[in-house]
Amino acid sequence: MLKNTKFIVLVLQQDFLIDDQAKCAASEVWQRLEDASIDNDDDEMDRAIYDMIDLIKEMIEEAPAISALDAFSNPPTLMLQLVPLEGKQKIIRRNIAAPRYKTNSVDSAKINAELPLVPSRDVTVLRSLFAQRVLKEVLALQRISEAVEGSIKIPTLRAFVTSTDEEVIGILIDYIETSEEIHSLNAAAVATAESSRRGKWASQVDDMLHRLHAIDVVWGDVKTANVLIDKDDDAWIIDFGGGNTQGWIDRELCGTKKGDLQGLQKILDVLAGKEVIF
């Protein structure tokens, strides 16, 4: 989504199967997309896509702002294609009809029937984020709310969002008002924090993860970016939709408690000021 317009970029393998592929800058994009798909690496996929943004901006005119979620889910759509040209990448417009995608829905039999249903037309979009794997997130948050004893700094599942077809297509969770100083535990922000604060965050994250494992909930995409610091200077754990960010967890351990503990150790090392190799 860019300038209130959805864009679909075709990246065709045959366009990049050239003899001198190693010297073609455009072929690098194809290789990065393919590697990210094979490795299930969401962050690398996003980086490869973002590298094309400047080229895409030139093709899109500003569309009217969209605020309601149902309209936001079906914005004007532009078909584009990434092609190699003189060793560089170029975006061209394609005069073909955009495919119609059915919004992914969640099996209503697996959700908490006591939570309210909110029509997408009643949800206001403040800013857009990439979101996937909603069902995994739903099941994890429901399990946490049912089984964890005492308070825990994990967003509470408040409601389900329904489409015009009355299918569950999303969730509403608590908004975490983050610290103006430190939003998440990225290395640059952590380096400026006092050791006592870093020690507190380490203890909080360690405790929360072990409480999750005690009820058989796996965090999944363990990394500093998924630890937020709120306005009261407490650490929160977010993102239970699965996935694996390269360098944090070995691929064969993705989605397991052992994988969580591997990622946790790297978070603790970052907070301790140790050099972490990804």
Side-chain angles (χ1 to χ4, degrees):
M1 190 81 148
L2 188 65
K3 297 182 179 179
N4 301 314
T5 301
K6 181 168 72 175
F7 55 89
I8 297 175
V9 181
L10 302 176
V11 185
L12 305 180
Q13 186 179 34
Q14 64 260 27
D15 289 339
F16 297 93
L17 295 179
I18 56 179
D19 293 337
D20 197 11
Q21 188 176 20
K23 295 182 180 180
C24 178
S27 68
E28 181 182 346
V29 177
W30 163 262
Q31 192 62 53
R32 289 174 64 191
L33 291 169
E34 184 177 44
D35 291 346
S37 178
I38 293 172
D39 294 338
N40 193 28
D41 188 339
D42 295 333
D43 284 357
E44 180 58 27
M45 181 69 75
D46 286 347
R47 283 191 289 269
I49 293 172
Y50 289 149
D51 285 346
M52 295 187 283
I53 292 297
D54 287 339
L55 296 172
I56 295 171
K57 283 180 180 178
E58 300 174 2
M59 309 292 295
I60 301 176
E61 297 180 357
E62 191 77 35
I66 301 172
S67 58
L69 181 59
D70 56 350
F72 187 86
S73 302
N74 296 283
T77 302
L78 188 63
M79 294 295 297
L80 306 171
Q81 184 171 347
L82 179 73
V83 297
L85 184 64
E86 298 178 351
K88 297 181 180 180
Q89 58 187 15
K90 182 177 177 59
I91 295 287
I92 62 174
R93 189 188 298 263
R94 292 294 306 273
N95 292 320
I96 57 177
R100 295 185 62 85
Y101 296 106
K102 186 179 184 296
T103 305
N104 291 332
S105 60
V106 176
D107 185 353
S108 58
K110 296 181 179 180
I111 66 175
N112 186 344
E114 296 181 359
L115 290 176
L117 300 178
V118 179
S120 57
R121 63 178 178 274
D122 294 337
V123 177
T124 300
V125 177
L126 300 180
R127 63 190 179 107
S128 61
L129 301 170
F130 291 107
Q132 299 176 349
R133 307 177 299 271
V134 175
L135 181 56
K136 283 187 177 181
E137 185 94 16
V138 167
L139 297 178
L141 293 179
Q142 287 186 163
R143 176 64 178 160
I144 293 166
S145 65
E146 294 166 356
V148 170
E149 296 183 0
S151 62
I152 188 169
K153 298 293 185 181
I154 290 173
T156 300
L157 181 60
R158 298 295 184 182
F160 295 101
V161 179
T162 57
S163 68
T164 53
D165 297 326
E166 298 186 352
E167 293 184 322
V168 175
I169 60 171
I171 58 177
L172 295 180
I173 61 176
D174 287 335
Y175 174 75
I176 303 170
E177 187 175 349
T178 55
S179 165
E180 293 184 3
E181 176 192 1
I182 297 179
H183 175 74
S184 64
L185 294 185
N186 64 78
V190 167
T192 65
E194 298 88 347
S195 60
S196 60
R197 297 173 69 196
R198 289 187 273 117
K200 181 182 77 169
W201 299 332
S203 177
Q204 289 176 331
V205 174
D206 181 84
D207 175 68
M208 284 189 284
L209 184 58
H210 282 88
R211 291 173 69 187
L212 292 176
H213 284 184
I215 61 170
D216 292 325
V217 170
V218 172
W219 183 359
D221 196 8
V222 181
K223 57 183 178 182
T224 50
N226 283 338
V227 180
L228 303 186
I229 305 301
D230 69 14
K231 59 182 180 60
D232 296 321
D233 209 41
D234 289 320
W236 289 65
I237 286 178
I238 64 168
D239 192 354
F240 294 87
N244 179 23
T245 301
Q246 187 175 11
W248 282 93
I249 298 173
D250 294 340
R251 190 188 309 174
E252 63 272 16
L253 296 180
C254 179
T256 68
K257 291 181 180 180
K258 285 185 178 180
D260 277 3
L261 295 176
Q262 183 182 53
L264 171 65
Q265 187 57 57
K266 292 185 178 182
I267 291 177
L268 298 180
D269 287 345
V270 168
L271 288 169
K274 298 179 180 179
E275 182 179 358
V276 180
I277 299 176
F278 296 100

